[in-house]
Amino acid sequence: MTFDIALVLGLLAVAVVLFVIERPRSDVVALLLLGSLAITGLLEPREALSGFSNPAVVTVWAVFILSGGLSRTGVANLVGGQVLKLAGGGETRLMVLIMLVAAVLSAFMNNVGACALLLPVVLNLCRQTGTPPSKLLIPLSFSSLLGGMLTLIGTPPNILSAEAVQARGLGELGLFDFTPVGGAVVVAGILYMTTIGRRLLPERDLPREARTGADLRSAFGLHKRLLILHLTESSPLAGRTLADCRISSALGLTVIGIIRDGRTTLAPPPDAVLRPDDRLLVEGRTTRLEELRESPSFDQSETALTMGRAVAGEVGMVAVSVLANSSFLSKSLRQLNFRHLVGGAVVVAIARDDGVLLSRIDDLALRQGDTLIMQASFAELERLVENGGVEAVDLEPPQMAAIERELMRLEVPEDSMLVGRTLSDSGLAEAFGLLLLTLTRDGKTLPRPGPDEIFEAGDLLVVKGNPEDLEIMRGLQALQVERKADREVDELESASVGLAVVAISPTAGIARSSLRDLHFREKYGLTVLALWRQGRVVRTNLATERLMFGDALLVHGPRSRLRLLSQEADFLVLTEGAAEPPDTRKAPVAIAVMGAVIGATVAGFQPIYIAAPFGAALMVLFGCLSIEQAYREIEWRAVFLIAGMLPMGLAMQKTGAALYIADLVVSSVGGMGPQAILAGLFLLAMAGAQVMPTAATALLLAPIAIDTAQQVDVSPLSLVMAVAVGASTAFISPVTHPANVLVMGPGGYRFVDYVKVGAGLAVVTFAVVVVVVPLAWPL
């Protein structure tokens, strides 16, 4: 082994580990690998960047746009809906037709897109036939993966394997050269799923009960959490808006409706004004409300304190102005994690445009010229200025006066709910914007106590907050829990307000963001009541819960808003009638364009990497989708992953690493014959597909398969075909492919369900490949 071989294999090993642990994202790993190959001298800079101009990369992004054109014009819906109507009510017949339709669509469009398009159709069929969707959604996902094996453009591993063959001067694989092997795998897969696989599929309550609004409420357990809260005649909350009352943030309760004069107003907006004697239909646990009612939080002793009461020791009140070159621009204090960034400094207010902003400043995007008024030491101020982007300024009297009006001195009584807890634990700090500036205990004053400071009875606090908010807090304490809202369960929907299940789209960029980060309520005018994740329902702390691909959200709000949500690329509205139907007027054009791309490729008029982007341009030109929509359809993560990984294949070939690994393969199983080598490469590709992206698996193993074939004098095409199919055999885990994750929430599946059903399908695929590949591509 030479030094260059050891170096390239070392870089490859690091990349594989990073792929497995998914830190950082796979596309970032690929770009880091690309740079490393150039920096270490294993590749020339032009060679390292060659992936971005590679025909395989062009083909991949063009197929995404073609798929988008078919999707947005409703072609897949029309085809799938018409064919699946033939299924009747039998579960087996329904499964066969679903898998056939999904496989055929996946052969010519992105398989994740095909699965996403058919998902609402299948759920509608389940509703009509009474079949639990948990019996049909894994078959839908698996068949979309199987169908990708049918054609050259069906899945990235096929495209990349064909590119490896062409780059080595071994000919060119046509559009349907994958069909003999892929077709046999599809048939065997359908037979397995309809005989053995369907008996291993679970029968879960969520999808089955998600057929109607009432069933949705039962499935997500809302009937256990619905309550009626009553505002008394003298309630301090009367005359205030829902947003001002902080019922959600302070109590963890979601207001679903307002019952007034015998009429229920569902999905009230945040600016709805409450009146005396209103009854609020809410969802959630009453734990915080009970704590608040049983024990007061504070005793208020003074208001409108002087600024000197808010500082102690070396900590004072200082100010900095944000400059034009600041890294703070367009970021919020929460995004910057400002307190930890600066070493403990706390921003008390932001002066902007001759005004002083005192509340809800943590999520405010900073601008040039903003003045950050902070509780900080002079050493911290100096470090902040030295780091650049801000300059120290003097506090102006109007700014000081505005802050002093919101300074309060509070005492923690013996029976306070805060004793033994932190302010953040109680939820009061975030709900009411209370900022703790100093804490006095046993005669000693501690400036800016940390968020983990535990309160004791008798503590004296200086906080920044609106005195009006303490009145609101007393109003929340006075809320009366009238009764459980069993009778109102059927009142959650009306002609204008509805419930819907919403899944996170495969191309969404919102994964790992919280609903608060997305400003979901403000942006969409809808409320998330619960989410289903990996077989369990999550109903608490939804605002801060990080969304995951595969989550199913139960959303409540105006039906018009639900239809608007269905047009967002980040979400898939799955409930029948809630989504906006696609515009099918351009469907004939989309079909003609896709037919032309296929025809030109099959006839040999143009290679796929020319026909596909030309067809994508025609889709935009003829209005099947706009150019902005076309860009959104492209899964850029996959494009950059492939473009970044392609140079690794070149480096393995250039350094002899591919040949070195091929020698190891031959020495290990070569004595058992060509069919054993084929089986070994398939198993290696399948194993790789379970722990890292399928495209990366194909990119790494296709060159090794070619070198191995040349070592033992067998057909390279047969071994490459085994690698391509093995890299697409991503059935054993939900996280191995986005199509698997997509159906996880709507199907109510757990991780083990994929293992039980997918392992058998992987064995069937292996058996078919070992038998059929040598027949279609003789060794």
Side-chain angles (χ1 to χ4, degrees):
M1 181 189 296
T2 66
F3 175 77
D4 283 351
I5 291 176
L7 182 58
V8 77
L9 292 181
L11 290 174
L12 177 59
V14 171
V16 170
V17 171
L18 295 177
F19 282 141
V20 172
I21 64 176
E22 297 184 327
R23 291 290 185 278
R25 282 181 14 166
S26 58
D27 49 343
V28 176
V29 173
L31 293 177
L32 290 172
L33 185 61
L34 178 154
S36 300
L37 292 172
I39 292 170
T40 55
L42 292 170
L43 292 179
E44 297 294 328
R46 287 183 178 274
E47 292 175 325
L49 296 175
S50 61
F52 289 96
S53 61
N54 191 280
V57 174
V58 175
T59 304
V60 167
W61 65 251
V63 169
F64 280 127
I65 296 177
L66 290 171
S67 299
L70 295 175
S71 169
R72 291 183 180 272
T73 55
V75 172
N77 298 52
L78 291 172
V79 174
Q82 292 300 317
V83 173
L84 293 178
K85 285 180 180 178
L86 305 174
E91 182 182 310
T92 302
R93 186 178 179 187
L94 194 59
M95 183 183 292
V96 169
L97 282 177
I98 286 172
M99 295 188 72
L100 281 174
V101 172
V104 171
L105 288 176
S106 297
F108 300 103
M109 61 185 294
N110 172 25
N111 43 26
V112 182
C115 183
L117 285 172
L118 289 176
L119 183 54
V121 178
V122 173
L123 288 175
N124 184 33
L125 281 170
C126 293
R127 180 190 62 82
Q128 293 173 355
T129 61
T131 304
S134 58
K135 290 290 188 180
L136 296 177
L137 292 187
I138 276 183
L140 169 65
S141 170
F142 285 179
S143 59
S144 71
L145 302 184
L146 293 170
M149 304 176 189
L150 286 169
T151 65
L152 171 65
I153 62 173
T155 186
N158 288 5
I159 297 172
L160 296 169
S161 298
E163 167 60 23
V165 169
Q166 186 176 5
R168 299 290 285 271
L170 300 173
E172 185 172 323
L173 290 173
L175 185 66
F176 293 107
D177 283 346
F178 291 84
T179 305
V181 178
V185 173
V186 168
V187 171
I190 293 175
L191 288 174
Y192 165 79
M193 289 302 301
T194 54
T195 53
I196 300 173
R198 71 185 184 91
R199 291 180 171 84
L200 302 174
L201 290 167
E203 185 170 337
R204 296 268 154 71
D205 290 337
L206 166 66
R208 185 172 190 175
E209 294 179 355
R211 292 175 288 160
T212 66
D215 289 335
L216 278 175
R217 296 190 288 276
S218 175
F220 281 90
L222 294 190
H223 60 290
K224 303 175 183 177
R225 300 284 189 92
L226 288 176
L227 303 162
I228 295 290
L229 300 182
H230 183 215
L231 273 69
T232 61
E233 290 287 343
S234 59
S235 173
L237 303 182
R240 303 181 190 273
T241 66
L242 273 177
D244 289 339
C245 290
R246 321 288 213 285
I247 293 173
S248 176
S249 55
L251 303 180
L253 299 172
T254 301
V255 178
I256 296 174
I258 300 175
I259 304 170
R260 179 181 297 159
D261 300 329
R263 300 179 60 184
T264 301
T265 301
L266 293 173
D271 59 357
V273 178
L274 299 181
R275 298 180 186 174
D277 203 37
D278 275 350
R279 297 160 67 229
L280 307 180
L281 178 61
V282 301
E283 185 268 336
R285 288 181 175 174
T286 59
T287 306
R288 288 189 190 176
L289 175 60
E290 290 166 357
E291 289 179 344
L292 197 62
R293 292 176 61 194
E294 290 173 1
S295 59
S297 301
F298 309 107
D299 285 337
Q300 183 177 345
S301 56
E302 294 180 69
T303 59
L305 307 178
T306 62
M307 190 72 78
R309 302 284 293 277
V311 296
E314 298 180 353
V315 175
M317 203 66 71
V318 299
V320 295
S321 179
V322 179
L323 302 178
N325 65 341
S326 176
S327 60
F328 296 170
L329 293 177
S330 300
K331 297 178 181 177
S332 69
L333 297 173
R334 193 187 304 276
Q335 290 172 328
L336 291 169
N337 198 7
F338 190 86
R339 183 165 188 161
H340 293 89
L341 178 70
V342 183
V346 177
V347 177
V348 176
I350 297 176
R352 173 184 291 177
D353 300 333
D354 299 324
V356 181
L357 306 174
L358 294 157
S359 61
R360 301 177 184 177
I361 61 175
D362 284 346
D363 294 313
L364 198 67
L366 299 179
R367 304 177 188 170
Q368 179 184 350
D370 281 350
T371 298
L372 308 183
I373 303 171
M374 305 181 298
Q375 196 187 27
S377 68
F378 287 104
E380 291 166 347
L381 176 63
E382 288 178 358
R383 285 199 302 271
L384 184 60
V385 173
E386 287 174 1
N387 289 336
V390 298
E391 63 177 357
V393 295
D394 293 329
L395 269 173
E396 299 177 3
Q399 297 170 349
M400 295 178 63
I403 295 172
E404 287 175 342
R405 284 193 293 271
E406 295 215 349
L407 295 181
M408 299 179 286
R409 186 171 183 266
L410 307 174
E411 182 176 354
V412 180
E414 289 186 5
D415 58 347
S416 172
M417 62 178 286
L418 290 177
V419 174
R421 304 172 67 183
T422 67
L423 194 60
S424 58
D425 286 342
S426 70
L428 298 177
E430 190 166 349
F432 295 101
L434 299 179
L435 180 62
L436 183 57
L437 301 178
T438 68
L439 184 151
T440 301
R441 179 183 297 158
D442 299 329
K444 298 180 181 179
T445 299
L446 175 68
R448 64 181 192 198
D452 297 326
E453 186 70 34
I454 297 175
F455 293 116
E456 298 179 7
D459 283 348
L460 298 176
L461 318 176
V462 173
V463 303
K464 186 210 74 175
N466 191 336
E468 278 287 302
D469 287 341
L470 296 183
E471 186 70 11
I472 293 173
M473 192 183 301
R474 283 189 281 272
L476 294 177
Q477 288 175 312
L479 284 172
Q480 301 296 315
V481 180
E482 188 173 285
R483 59 184 172 80
K484 297 289 183 180
D486 293 336
R487 187 172 61 84
E488 274 75 16
V489 168
D490 294 329
E491 298 178 8
L492 295 187
E493 293 189 286
S494 66
S496 59
V497 175
L499 287 163
V501 175
V502 177
I504 308 299
S505 170
T507 58
I510 61 173
R512 299 184 182 177
S513 299
S514 69
L515 295 171
R516 175 186 293 157
D517 295 336
L518 300 174
H519 302 285
F520 187 89
R521 168 77 177 177
E522 295 82 0
K523 183 176 181 180
Y524 300 110
L526 298 165
T527 301
V528 177
L529 301 181
L531 67 86
W532 186 279
R533 173 179 295 161
Q534 298 184 13
R536 64 185 182 92
V537 178
V538 179
R539 304 186 198 89
T540 56
N541 300 320
L542 291 176
T544 56
E545 188 74 34
R546 297 288 176 183
L547 297 178
M548 297 170 56
F549 182 41
D551 286 347
L553 312 179
L554 179 63
V555 177
H556 182 252
R559 297 187 188 276
S560 59
R561 292 282 188 169
L562 290 173
R563 286 190 288 272
L564 289 175
L565 184 68
S566 70
Q567 299 176 17
E568 292 286 329
D570 289 335
F571 300 99
L572 293 172
V573 177
L574 304 179
T575 302
E576 182 193 18
E580 188 75 18
D583 186 353
T584 59
R585 289 176 295 179
K586 294 287 185 178
V589 177
I591 294 172
V593 170
M594 193 67 192
V597 169
I598 295 171
T601 304
V602 173
F605 178 68
Q606 289 293 338
I608 188 63
Y609 52 83
I610 297 297
F614 188 73
L618 290 178
M619 286 281 193
V620 174
L621 181 65
F622 292 135
C624 298
L625 73 174
S626 67
I627 187 64
E628 290 80 12
Q629 291 171 332
Y631 286 135
R632 286 200 297 270
E633 290 292 338
I634 298 173
E635 192 178 338
W636 291 107
R637 180 173 179 169
V639 172
F640 279 93
L641 168 67
I642 295 169
M645 287 298 297
L646 276 167
M648 173 53 77
L650 179 60
M652 291 179 67
Q653 181 183 348
K654 186 176 179 180
T655 61
L659 187 59
Y660 175 80
I661 297 175
D663 287 337
L664 293 178
V665 173
V666 172
S667 62
S668 300
V669 296
M672 303 179 191
Q675 205 156 4
I677 296 175
L678 183 147
L681 286 171
F682 173 88
L683 292 174
L684 189 60
M686 185 179 71
Q690 309 311 311
V691 295
M692 62 183 189
T694 58
T697 302
L699 275 169
L700 296 175
L701 292 182
I704 295 172
I706 293 172
D707 283 338
T708 301
Q710 292 175 341
Q711 285 274 70
V712 295
D713 195 25
V714 301
S715 168
L717 298 181
S718 59
L719 298 191
V720 168
M721 195 66 60
V723 165
V725 176
S728 296
T729 307
F731 308 126
I732 302 177
S733 162
V735 298
T736 52
H737 200 280
N740 292 343
V741 184
L742 179 62
V743 301
M744 192 172 190
Y749 296 121
R750 300 186 177 97
F751 191 97
V752 69
D753 297 324
Y754 291 85
V755 177
K756 288 193 300 184
V757 183
L761 183 56
V763 171
V764 170
T765 305
F766 170 72
V768 171
V769 166
V770 171
V771 173
V772 176
V773 167
L775 297 177
W777 300 91
L779 291 167

